[in-house]
Amino acid sequence: MTGEVLSVRDLVVRYRSHDGQPFTAVNGVSLDIGPGETFGLVGETGCGKSTLARAALKLTPFQSGQVRLLGRDLAELDGRELRKLRRRCPMIFQDPRGSLDPRMNVGRIIGEPLRVHDLAGRRDREAKVREMMELVGLPDELFDRRPVQLSGGQQQRVGIARALITEPGLVVCDEPVSALDVSIRAQILNLLADLRDRLEVAFLFIAHDLAVVRHLSDRVGVMYLGRMVEEAPVEDLFAHPRHPYTQGLVAAILHADTGGHERLQLVERLAAGEIPSLLDPPAGCAYQTRCPYATDDPCRIVVPAAEVVAGAADGEDRSHRVACHHWAEIPAPATTLEPGR
Amino acid sequence: MATGAETAARAEPAAGRSRRSWRGHGWWVFAAFLVLMAAWAAVPELFMPFDSDRLNPLRRLLSPLAVSDDGRHLAGTDSLGRDLFSQMIRGTRLTLYIAVVATTIGAAVGVLVGMLAGYFGGLPDRLLMRLGEAQTAMPMFLVAILLLSMLGPSVVILIVVLPTLVWPIFARVVRAETLQVREATYIEAAVATGCTVPAVLFTHVLPNVVPRILVLYVVEIGHVMLAEAGLSFLGVGVQPPDVTWGLLIADGRPLLTVAWWLTILPGVLLGVVVLSLNMLSRRFEQYAGAAA
């Protein structure tokens, strides 16, 4: 585990709802991201994936667990050290327009990390900003524009440029394409993939769409109701999903391609109904309310622990882990996906 | 009245056209007037038809537009024979100076307090805002009179006392705006970038809050002006030989039945300036609304 860019152990984040009811948004999640690795985190809205990312950057406080970010234990950092560390772990946000200060121009926004961390003089800064704009495909004449004058795709490019200008070790992308038009999504995803390859940056890539994650990630984690239910290398996860929830998600993304109807039925069976409320989570396995394989004992009593599936011998980061009592007995879905990106 | 015109213009675009165009361009008349006032304040000598301090028993209490040996007195003369119009021009500088400086200090204090209260919330919020409310509950005008009569009237003390009248208003508005801005993703982005709290407040919160208090600032200049006039009128504000419009009104009061112009004309001038500030603030409001 040495040299990990981000290492999260048993993270627990609790919040209070608006009427003061406490609930657990992230419940004992662990994950590791190595240098230059892209970790895709998927799950439904409200499953705690954004909270996990924010807690990992200490933008939100966490109640227990350990986070090592770029080799530093977050619990040991004081405010000053934390601010210095943030230069190396920027974030790209879901709402591109909202994440840009409307009173600043593009040049100032992209150059802000340099200014905040005093990394370059005024002249130097402008040159670096222009260089960065070219890298992310922003026309030079946009330098003096305000965010409202840009298109959604351009706004997100500004967000990406701002994140990458300080040569970070880890970039957290919180659903960076969810708010964009479908036609723009591919451009932004390709840009991110291209930058990842060129800059050797690690990414924590959050999405609620498995298809988006599939193209970009080395490893994928699936979250459900505050817990990590399955985690595996990307090909492995798509070829051999073990958790019934993952099986449903994987079946869902390609139902349009082949065997449409069959797949839809599979999705229906594996992920029927609605996600339960975090305020009132079921006892035992979080997924039991929707799972076709759930049994009274142990599923409705004991929370399943993450178990290592075959492939563990390949080494730590190749492991395939699943948190399900019955994973060994569950039949593989009739139609698995061909591996590949 | 103006709101009525606005609704009419919106409801019937064709019929309200002429009125709307007046609304669209009328503001510059007020702006021009304020520019003239600023010029009076900057270089009064250029505008004063007479030496405002020169006494002349032979031309005491001349009514407006009367002609003496020296020439025409547009606003008449006072009981010592000084030209009122010249005195009004001379008083502009101190009147505006006190109002602008006091309002600016009050606004600065209020903006700082409001940003801190709104950004941090919790205990600081409650403490600061209760402080403002406690002060608002007191009749500050009376407190100002008390303070000024105790410390002795002077322009400096006036400039210290007047901001206490306005800062809670700024604090309240800025706090409300800050609460809104604080939730924006760009604030989280700034924190994630590694900005310090002062950096977040002054480079991200302040620029997004200031345009919305511009209107309030202009209106409050008018309020402070009236307050200063009131205090000077009561004798605890500006003292002779300094001149402000409030002081002119006070000086003319005993002679109201004999020489109405001594109180009415400086009063009208004061009223028109406050009106202009209000009209201009409406214009700012439209501008801020369009920008948001």
Side-chain angles (χ1 to χ4, degrees):
Chain A
M1 235 158 300
T2 47
E4 300 290 32
V5 175
L6 175 68
S7 165
V8 177
R9 285 287 163 275
D10 305 317
L11 188 77
V12 176
V13 183
R14 287 197 197 91
Y15 280 136
R16 270 177 193 285
S17 67
H18 287 295
D19 48 2
Q21 240 183 315
F23 65 94
T24 306
V26 176
N27 203 344
V29 171
S30 301
L31 68 86
D32 290 292
I33 303 177
E37 191 180 38
T38 299
F39 190 100
L41 193 60
V42 279
E44 279 164 85
T45 306
C47 72
K49 50 197 192 313
S50 291
T51 305
L52 169 64
R54 282 176 169 76
L57 299 181
K58 218 174 181 178
L59 289 171
T60 241
F62 53 91
Q63 273 63 41
S64 72
Q66 195 198 23
V67 178
R68 286 187 73 79
L69 181 59
L70 300 160
R72 306 291 305 269
D73 189 334
L74 282 193
E76 290 166 6
L77 294 177
D78 62 26
R80 199 189 152 88
E81 288 173 311
L82 180 67
R83 274 199 309 278
K84 278 176 87 173
L85 189 67
R86 284 196 165 138
R87 171 168 86 82
R88 309 255 298 125
C89 54
M91 187 157 172
I92 296 169
F93 295 87
Q94 175 172 5
D95 172 13
R97 180 170 169 181
S99 72
L100 309 176
D101 190 330
R103 300 276 163 193
M104 288 189 174
N105 65 28
V106 168
R108 245 190 104 190
I109 291 171
I110 297 175
E112 189 178 26
L114 297 177
R115 189 173 51 80
V116 167
H117 296 285
D118 206 13
L119 292 177
R122 211 185 162 75
R123 279 276 158 71
D124 238 16
R125 200 154 69 215
E126 188 176 326
K128 276 194 170 173
V129 168
R130 288 188 192 278
E131 200 179 300
M132 206 63 205
M133 286 175 68
E134 200 188 328
L135 188 69
V136 299
L138 281 170
D140 198 55
E141 66 264 25
L142 297 185
F143 190 91
D144 296 314
R145 299 280 173 85
R146 294 287 177 91
V148 283
Q149 295 172 292
L150 308 184
S151 70
Q154 287 171 333
Q155 286 166 352
Q156 198 57 297
R157 283 172 201 267
V158 172
I160 293 168
R162 169 174 64 185
L164 293 174
I165 198 161
T166 48
E167 295 166 16
L170 170 73
V171 177
V172 174
C173 307
D174 183 12
E175 307 215 21
V177 296
S178 300
L180 300 177
D181 287 342
V182 178
S183 54
I184 309 294
R185 273 185 204 180
Q187 293 177 18
I188 297 295
L189 288 174
N190 286 337
L191 173 68
L192 285 171
D194 181 44
L195 292 171
R196 178 201 57 186
D197 296 340
R198 267 206 272 177
L199 303 175
E200 292 173 359
V201 187
F203 279 91
L204 173 55
F205 194 93
I206 299 170
H208 58 241
D209 183 352
L210 210 51
V212 165
V213 160
R214 191 176 175 212
H215 290 285
L216 228 62
S217 308
D218 301 311
R219 289 176 65 78
V220 178
V222 180
M223 277 186 80
Y224 185 80
L225 218 63
R227 295 178 190 277
M228 190 81 87
V229 295
E230 186 163 8
E231 189 199 326
V234 64
E235 308 86 17
D236 204 14
L237 188 98
F238 281 89
H240 309 292
R242 303 289 182 171
H243 197 283
Y245 181 55
T246 317
Q247 291 179 351
L249 290 181
V250 170
I253 61 166
L254 280 191
H255 65 74
D257 288 12
T258 49
H261 190 61
E262 242 169 83
R263 276 184 198 277
L264 272 181
Q265 280 181 326
L266 185 67
V267 174
E268 187 87 88
R269 201 166 74 82
L270 290 170
E274 291 289 319
I275 190 165
S277 166
L278 274 169
L279 292 170
D280 186 21
C285 175
Y287 194 58
Q288 46 149 299
T289 55
R290 299 164 76 179
C291 181
Y293 307 106
T295 52
D296 284 348
D297 187 13
C299 292
R300 303 202 202 283
I301 301 168
V302 184
V303 178
E307 290 176 46
V308 176
V309 185
D314 304 3
E316 183 75 29
D317 60 76
R318 299 261 80 187
S319 70
H320 184 153
R321 283 182 296 179
V322 59
C324 174
H325 291 299
H326 299 303
W327 70 267
E329 305 135 40
I330 293 174
T335 43
T336 46
L337 292 177
E338 294 307 310
R341 302 177 142 194
Chain B
M1 189 184 77
T3 350
E6 194 178 23
T7 4
R10 273 192 199 141
E12 306 160 69
R17 192 163 184 85
S18 62
R19 256 193 290 185
R20 187 160 49 166
S21 66
W22 183 88
R23 268 186 60 78
H25 300 289
W27 66 273
W28 72 260
V29 177
F30 298 103
F33 179 72
L34 289 177
V35 169
L36 177 68
M37 290 300 108
W40 279 12
V43 276
E45 301 79 11
L46 281 185
F47 297 92
M48 279 162 36
F50 299 95
D51 179 352
S52 66
D53 284 336
R54 219 180 96 209
L55 310 177
N56 187 345
L58 293 178
R59 50 172 210 211
R60 293 168 60 223
L61 295 178
L62 293 177
S63 59
L65 301 180
V67 181
S68 75
D69 301 341
D70 295 332
R72 190 177 288 276
H73 301 279
L74 279 176
T77 58
D78 69 4
S79 56
L80 298 175
R82 291 174 296 192
D83 181 61
L84 181 61
F85 188 59
S86 304
Q87 280 198 293
M88 274 157 51
I89 293 175
R90 193 167 83 100
T92 312
R93 179 182 289 177
L94 196 57
T95 307
L96 293 186
Y97 174 78
I98 291 173
V100 169
V101 172
T103 312
T104 306
I105 294 174
V109 173
V111 166
L112 194 67
V113 168
M115 280 205 307
L116 292 174
Y119 189 76
F120 288 106
L123 189 65
D125 183 20
R126 265 171 282 158
L127 275 178
L128 290 168
M129 295 323 284
R130 284 314 91 79
L131 185 69
E133 278 161 27
Q135 205 209 284
T136 315
M138 282 194 288
M140 278 319 285
F141 198 74
L142 292 183
V143 175
I145 292 174
L146 186 73
L147 270 175
L148 284 163
S149 46
M150 264 165 35
L151 299 170
S154 83
V155 171
V156 176
I157 292 176
L158 205 56
I159 285 176
V160 174
V161 168
L162 284 171
T164 60
L165 291 171
V166 292
W167 79 263
I169 305 165
F170 284 99
R172 260 202 308 280
V173 173
V174 169
R175 173 180 170 273
E177 296 291 345
T178 305
L179 281 176
Q180 221 178 66
V181 167
R182 186 183 65 171
E183 296 306 317
T185 314
Y186 59 80
I187 298 299
E188 192 187 13
V191 174
T193 296
C195 285
T196 57
V197 170
V200 172
L201 285 179
F202 288 101
T203 61
H204 294 283
V205 177
L206 188 66
N208 282 286
V209 161
V210 160
R212 306 190 202 181
I213 59 159
L214 215 58
V215 178
L216 187 66
Y217 178 74
V218 175
V219 172
E220 289 307 315
I221 288 179
H223 277 160
V224 169
M225 231 161 160
L226 291 176
E228 177 268 317
L231 290 171
S232 299
F233 177 80
L234 293 172
V236 293
V238 175
Q239 299 296 313
D242 286 335
V243 184
T244 65
W245 298 338
L247 201 58
L248 288 177
I249 298 171
D251 285 349
R253 193 187 55 93
L255 298 168
L256 187 58
T257 48
V258 192
W260 56 269
W261 56 90
L262 292 178
T263 37
I264 301 296
L265 292 182
V268 166
L269 184 62
L270 184 67
V272 173
V273 169
V274 174
L275 175 75
S276 302
L277 288 169
N278 275 297
M279 294 309 275
L280 211 62
S281 76
R282 285 168 160 279
R283 183 69 196 174
F284 279 142
E285 209 164 18
Q286 286 169 1
Y287 171 76

